């Protein structure tokens, strides 16, 4: 590794001349940037550490942003770059299997450059190259021995090194594959493959293994379905706002550490690009944000990202499979990676990956040993095709084009490249138009193909997983992915016009169910299940989804008590965001308290006194609880633990809802999906028993964790920042809390949530040139404990406050902190 000596020229306006050697790639050797590129960027920071980066070209914009970002969070992305480049085992000695996978997916640098970098538009190449150079500039100036320390630090770590634009691009590609090839279940199945057997394996009877297979596939539901993490979005067009102008609430629920964490910024090339908001760590574009004319956000979309293909093996040659009656060869590719040994030496470790025309071979023996690997119990092999393998190529283009749109028609057209790997799209403009679309990369598999091609093991997998895993017959060409006239060339994903979408002046909302009820008054119907298996058409919806649409309906009618006037304004939209009502309690708690009261009023000689005392204390707290998840609420933790018991007993493995033929007083009705199911059927003795058992479960869990039942929520759920534990409002998404926070019970409470409300934005316009954007970065801007922006916004969030994001020049000047930095380099 080589780190150059810092060389800083400081003038009265803090003009810096760079000495980094990572610059534009104008052709030269792969991975070896050539000199000659000139960068110049202006960086100003406003309150809460938000950088406003201005430049005259894309390379300089990336350069300034890469440098500003690194000042706060360099180590977070550096770790990811080392992993995506397949160097982690070389530098640390661990995870050589993952290095092998990424070296297989990316190839060598020369191959990667040709396949994934040179094909990008010049603008995109310049932006990525400049961002990498800006990060290296920070590293060169700081020095590895002066980098931040701590949990998110990397001082003197062996995995810190100068990198180039190709290394950064590998990381950007890795991000796009998080919901498919790099998803834990899939990655494990790829790495479990050991190759063909040394001798022929007899096939088994499908019926003999299917009971085991069904049971074990259900267990997978806990790993693939969303837990307490998700996202919310509400968009309102002019017919739904008091001003007649567009309005948008973005509320992604992302991790509070690691690469999924948000970072706020404002990026400007005068006359060409001017976008503010937030990006994920190390991404050189604004991911969720706003411009003078448009605001947009996303929610995580559980559409199909990949399909499994089951191919029939040649009984005489396990390295061949049947395709339309002819044998095709399975390809074997050897990949080498370096692994650091205890004595400091490097050992070359080889691994063979196997692939068909569809993609990598998988071993599902880890799901159920009865399935087998190579071959499966039925003499077949499972292989996979991933729709997002090339999405990373299109992502930067898509996100830049979105920020260049001036109205909803232009915004929709910006989505044609299908560069969105995993999100629903929501947008509004200053003219009063709004847009919703399920516009992510979805394999072009028709419903007719699903009905015809899901056979054998794949039919079982699809049935048990509610189509979370889609598998097709790989032996027939008619089961191959198709395409639309507007599909990106060679992608075989659905084109823009085929996706579920609205463009109008009404409202839309989503909380991670499918597209079906994004406007609950105008369901989108008739689409293949690949467009959204989680809460598909006619299926029961999340508690959080139901609460979202109830809040929208109440606000449009003016019946929510937030304002005498109906429709949305900015203040009511912000109040909705922080409402923290618990919908599961709204529809069940009265029945729970009645069951508890009846139990305690009719003593059972076989019931121990301690049980009655525990129930009395538990139900008294729940009866006095305000049914909110605010920092001053008392009892929310008791209900969350109680509801966990109900979900453990009646939760659907893959759909993340509470089901039961006898549990609900009003059963689910697809004609009334927002208001059903509701109430507990208290006439069913089994329901009474389940409620009592779940209440006692809550009491025991809290007692074992030394948590008082009458504790204040803000004392229990808090984020530790240095010597302070900052109260965090919001809570369990599955309990129907709009502001979802992912925090598990441990000793003393629910400290240090893992994820949840992260970057929040409420955006509208007032007729002036400047958008009005109130934002909140819940975990704050910097991961460094020594930074003044390590917890400043977190404290504001605790008080349900907001930050007015400065966008226009006069606003930036008024909010600027520190001096202007002019960053120049070659």
């Amino acid at each position: 590794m080589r780190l150059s000596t810092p060389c800083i020229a400081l003038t009265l306006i803090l003009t810096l001349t760079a000495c980094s050697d990572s610059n534009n790639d104008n052709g030269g050797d792969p991975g070896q940037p050539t000199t000659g590129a000139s960068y110049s960027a202006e960086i100003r920071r406003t309150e809460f550490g938000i950088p406003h980066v201005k430049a005259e070209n894309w390379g300089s914009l990336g350069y300034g942003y890469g440098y500003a970002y690194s000042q706060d969070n360099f180590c977070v992305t550096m770790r990811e770059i080392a992993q995506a480049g397949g160097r982690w085992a070389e530098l640390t000695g661990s995870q050589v299997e993952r290095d092998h996978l990424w070296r297989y997916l990316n190839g060598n640098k020369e191959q990667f450059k040709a396949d994934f970098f040179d094909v990008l538009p010049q603008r995109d190449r310049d932006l990525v190259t400049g961002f990498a150079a800006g990060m290296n500039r920070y590293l060169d100036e700081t020095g590895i021995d002066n980098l931040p320390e701590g949990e998110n630090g990397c001082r003197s770590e062996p995995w810190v090194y100068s990198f180039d634009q190709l290394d950064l691009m590998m990381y950007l590609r890795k991000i796009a594959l998080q919901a498919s090839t790099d998803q834990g279940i899939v990655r494990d199945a790829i790495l479990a493959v050991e190759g063909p057997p040394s001798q022929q394996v007899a096939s088994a009877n499908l019926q003999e293994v299917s009971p085991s297979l069904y049971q074990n596939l259900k267990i997978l539901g806990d790993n693939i379905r969303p837990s307490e993490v998700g996202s919310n979005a509400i968009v309102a067009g002019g017919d739904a706002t008091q001003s007649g102008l567009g309005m948008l609430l973005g509320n992604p629920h992302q991790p509070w550490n690691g690469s999924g964490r948000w970072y706020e910024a404002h990026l400007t090339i005068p006359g060409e690009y001017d976008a503010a908001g937030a990006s994920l760590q190390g991404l050189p574009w604004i991911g969720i944000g706003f411009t003078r004319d448009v605001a947009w956000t996303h929610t995580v979309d559980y559409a199909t990202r990949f399909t499994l293909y089951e191919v029939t093996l040649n009984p005489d040659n396990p390295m061949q499979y049947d395709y339309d009656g002819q044998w095709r060869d399975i390809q074997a590719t050897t990949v080498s990676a370096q692994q650091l040994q205890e004595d400091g030496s490097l050992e070359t470790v080889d691994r063979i990956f196997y692939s068909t025309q569809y993609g990598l071979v998988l071993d599902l023996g880890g799901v159920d040993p009865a399935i087998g690997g190579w071959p499966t119990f039925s003499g077949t092999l499972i292989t996979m095709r991933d729709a997002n393998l090339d999405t990373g190529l299109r992502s930067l283009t898509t996100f830049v084009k979105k920020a260049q749109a001036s109205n909803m028609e232009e915004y929709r057209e910006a989505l044609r490249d299908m560069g969105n790997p995993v999100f629903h799209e929501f947008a509004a403009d200053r003219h009063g138009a709004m847009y919703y679309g399920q516009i992510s990369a979805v394999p072009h598999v028709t419903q007719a193909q699903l009905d015809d091609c899901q056979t054998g093991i794949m039919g079982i997998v699809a049935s048990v997983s509610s189509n979370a895993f889609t598998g097709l017959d790989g032996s027939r060409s008619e089961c191959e992915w198709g395409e639309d006239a507007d599909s990106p060339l060679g992608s075989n994903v659905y084109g823009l016009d085929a996706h579920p979408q609205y463009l109008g002046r009404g409202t839309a909302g989503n909380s991670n169910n499918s597209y079906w009820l994004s406007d609950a008054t105008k369901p989108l119907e008739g689409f293949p299940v690949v467009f959204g298996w989680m809460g598909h058409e006619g299926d029961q919806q999340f508690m959080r989804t139901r609460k979202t649409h109830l809040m929208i309906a109440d606000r449009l009618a003016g019946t929510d008590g937030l304002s005498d006037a109906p429709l949305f304004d900015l203040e009511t939209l912000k109040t909705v965001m922080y409402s923290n009502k618990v919908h599961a309690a709204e529809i069940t708690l009265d029945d729970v308290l009645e069951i508890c009261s009846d139990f305690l009023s009719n003593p059972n000689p076989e019931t121990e006194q301690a049980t009655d005392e525990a129930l009395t204390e538990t139900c008294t707290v729940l009866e006095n609880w305000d049914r909110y998840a605010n920092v001053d609420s008392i009892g929310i933790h008791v209900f969350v633990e109680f509801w966990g018991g109900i979900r453990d007993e009646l939760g659907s493995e893959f759909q993340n809802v509470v089901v039961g033929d006898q549990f609900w007083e009003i059963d689910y009705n697809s004609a009334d999906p927002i208001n059903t199911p509701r109430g507990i059927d208290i006439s069913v003795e089994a329901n009474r028993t389940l409620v009592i058992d779940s209440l006692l479960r809550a009491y025991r869990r809290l007692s074992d964790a030394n948590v008082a039942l009458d504790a204040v929520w803000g004392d229990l759920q808090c984020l530790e920042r240095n010597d302070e534990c900052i109260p965090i409002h919001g809570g369990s998404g599955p309990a129907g809390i709009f502001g979802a926070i992912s925090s598990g019970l441990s000793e003393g409470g629910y400290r240090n949530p893992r994820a949840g409300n992260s970057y929040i934005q409420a955006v509208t316009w007032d007729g002036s040139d400047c958008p009005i954007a109130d934002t909140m970065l819940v975990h704050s801007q910097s991961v460094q404990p020594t930074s003044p922006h390590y917890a400043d916004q977190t404290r504001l969030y605790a008080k349900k406050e907001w930050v007015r994001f400065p966008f226009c020049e006069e606003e930036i000047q008024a909010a600027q902190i520190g001096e202007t930095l002019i960053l120049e380099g070659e």
Side-chain angles (χ1 to χ4, degrees), residues 310-596:
E310 184 175 8
V311 296
T312 301
L313 290 173
N314 184 343
D316 299 321
N317 183 353
M319 286 294 290
Q320 290 185 329
Y321 63 97
D322 174 48
Y323 183 78
D324 280 346
Q326 297 184 350
W327 299 119
R328 291 195 172 184
D329 292 332
I330 296 171
Q331 302 300 313
T333 304
T334 300
V335 174
S336 299
Q338 298 290 305
Q339 185 169 27
L340 183 67
Q341 304 300 301
E342 291 186 2
D343 62 3
S345 64
L346 291 175
E347 177 182 334
T348 300
V349 181
D350 292 336
R351 185 184 187 89
I352 300 176
F353 288 91
Y354 299 89
S355 61
T356 69
Q357 67 198 66
Y358 304 107
L360 282 164
V361 171
L362 279 61
D363 185 335
L364 296 184
V367 175
D368 187 333
I371 298 177
W374 193 328
T376 67
F377 61 80
S378 57
T380 60
L381 195 64
I382 309 299
T383 182
M384 185 186 89
R385 186 174 181 187
D386 186 347
N388 274 328
L389 284 177
D390 295 328
T391 301
L393 291 172
R394 306 187 298 269
S395 288
L396 204 163
T397 298
T398 295
F399 279 85
V400 168
K401 284 182 178 179
K402 290 197 301 185
Q404 292 176 320
S406 60
N407 55 56
M408 287 300 90
E409 289 82 2
E410 292 179 4
Y411 185 90
R412 179 180 180 275
E413 285 302 307
L415 304 176
R416 285 203 177 275
D417 292 311
M418 305 309 298
N420 175 347
V422 70
F423 305 117
H424 296 276
E425 293 273 0
F426 293 82
D429 67 24
R430 65 164 56 245
H431 314 293
M434 54 74 66
Y435 177 76
Y436 159 75
Q438 189 291 322
I439 315 294
S440 56
V442 177
H444 197 292
V445 179
T446 66
Q447 194 61 49
Q449 285 178 303
L450 291 173
D451 295 340
D452 179 51
C453 295
Q454 292 198 127
T455 58
I457 296 175
M458 295 299 92
I460 298 175
V461 169
S463 174
V464 175
S465 69
S466 300
N467 289 291
F469 295 102
T470 298
L472 306 173
D473 183 351
S475 66
R476 295 185 286 151
S477 56
E478 56 263 35
C479 300
E480 291 259 29
W481 295 359
E483 65 179 1
D484 293 320
D486 61 343
S487 298
L489 184 64
S491 67
N492 292 120
V493 299
Y494 277 101
L496 174 65
D497 295 341
H499 285 251
Q501 55 195 297
Y502 305 112
L503 197 160
R505 295 180 62 85
T507 62
N510 184 274
S511 295
N512 303 119
N513 278 132
S514 78
Y515 56 85
W516 177 40
L517 298 177
S518 290
D519 181 344
T521 68
K522 300 175 183 177
L524 287 163
E525 298 179 327
F527 295 89
V529 71
V530 293
F531 280 112
W533 58 269
M534 184 74 75
H536 188 60
E537 298 172 21
D539 289 346
Q540 185 175 329
Q541 303 291 289
F542 293 170
M543 287 285 183
R544 192 160 41 85
T545 294
R546 295 167 60 183
K547 188 60 183 174
T548 298
H549 290 296
L550 288 170
M551 292 191 302
I552 291 173
D554 288 346
R555 179 80 304 266
L556 294 179
T559 57
D560 55 9
L562 301 182
S563 168
D564 293 336
L567 309 183
F568 283 98
D569 63 6
L570 188 60
E571 291 307 310
T572 54
L573 186 66
K574 289 156 56 179
T575 303
V576 162
M577 173 63 239
Y578 285 161
S579 63
N580 292 329
K581 289 184 179 180
V582 184
H583 190 55
E586 291 181 302
I587 63 174
T588 66
L589 186 54
D590 288 343
D591 294 323
V592 170
L593 294 174
E594 182 175 346
I595 291 171
C596 187

Side-chain angles (χ1 to χ4, degrees), residues 623-643:
E623 185 174 14
N624 294 327
W625 170 44
D626 61 10
R627 306 191 186 192
Y628 286 80
N630 292 325
V631 295
D632 58 354
S633 295
I634 299 174
I636 168 61
H637 57 300
V638 179
F639 185 82
V640 166
E641 296 303 325
F642 160 77
W643 194 246

Side-chain angles (χ1 to χ4, degrees), residues 52-252:
H52 300 254
V53 183
K54 183 186 294 186
E56 296 297 324
N57 56 67
W58 290 97
S60 294
L61 185 67
Y63 187 68
Y65 189 28
Y67 184 88
Y69 163 78
S70 296
Q71 289 178 309
D72 294 304
N73 296 332
F74 172 86
C75 296
V76 175
T77 294
M78 183 70 251
R79 178 188 293 270
E80 296 290 336
I81 288 171
Q83 293 178 347
R87 297 192 60 191
W88 195 252
E90 171 194 341
L91 301 169
T92 70
S94 64
Q95 297 183 2
V96 69
E97 297 86 359
R98 294 194 184 186
D99 284 356
H100 281 132
L101 178 59
W102 284 107
R103 285 175 177 266
Y104 172 84
L105 291 171
N106 291 331
N108 60 42
K109 272 202 167 181
E110 182 176 2
Q111 179 183 345
F112 183 86
K113 182 175 184 293
D115 293 344
F116 296 102
F117 190 78
D118 290 347
V119 295
L120 294 173
Q122 186 65 50
R123 173 199 62 203
D124 297 359
R125 282 181 280 159
D126 289 347
L127 184 60
V128 171
T129 302
F131 194 91
M135 287 191 68
N136 277 297
R137 164 71 174 269
Y138 167 82
L139 175 60
D140 287 347
E141 289 180 359
T142 306
I144 188 172
D145 295 330
N146 297 311
L147 291 170
E149 297 181 285
E151 179 184 0
N152 293 294
C154 58
R155 180 175 295 180
S156 303
E157 291 287 355
W159 41 268
V160 177
Y161 53 88
S162 295
F163 58 90
D164 60 30
Q165 64 270 33
L166 301 183
D167 296 313
L168 179 62
M169 188 67 198
M170 288 179 183
Y171 163 55
L172 300 182
R173 186 168 186 244
K174 185 175 186 292
I175 288 287
L177 295 174
Q178 285 185 335
S180 48
T181 295
D182 199 35
Q183 187 179 72
I185 297 172
V186 177
R187 186 176 60 241
D188 291 346
I190 293 171
L191 296 175
V193 175
E194 296 181 351
S198 57
Q199 59 185 13
Q200 186 172 345
V201 179
S203 298
N205 186 301
L206 179 64
Q207 298 304 318
E208 294 176 358
V209 297
S210 59
S212 158
L213 179 57
Y214 272 97
Q215 184 59 39
N216 285 295
L217 280 172
K218 286 183 177 181
I219 295 173
L220 281 182
D222 289 331
N223 296 314
I224 192 171
R225 73 184 184 191
S227 56
E228 295 186 359
V229 182
S231 306
N232 302 313
I234 295 175
V235 61
D239 292 346
T241 64
Q242 295 173 14
S243 67
L245 307 177
M247 193 171 296
L248 177 135
L249 174 66
N251 174 217

Side-chain angles (χ1 to χ4, degrees), residues 44 292 769-770 806-816:
R44 292 178 290 177
R292 290 180 184 273
D769 287 341
C770 305
F807 187 87
C808 288
E809 179 59 29
E810 60 273 18
E811 296 171 334
I812 297 171
Q813 291 181 11
Q816 184 171 349

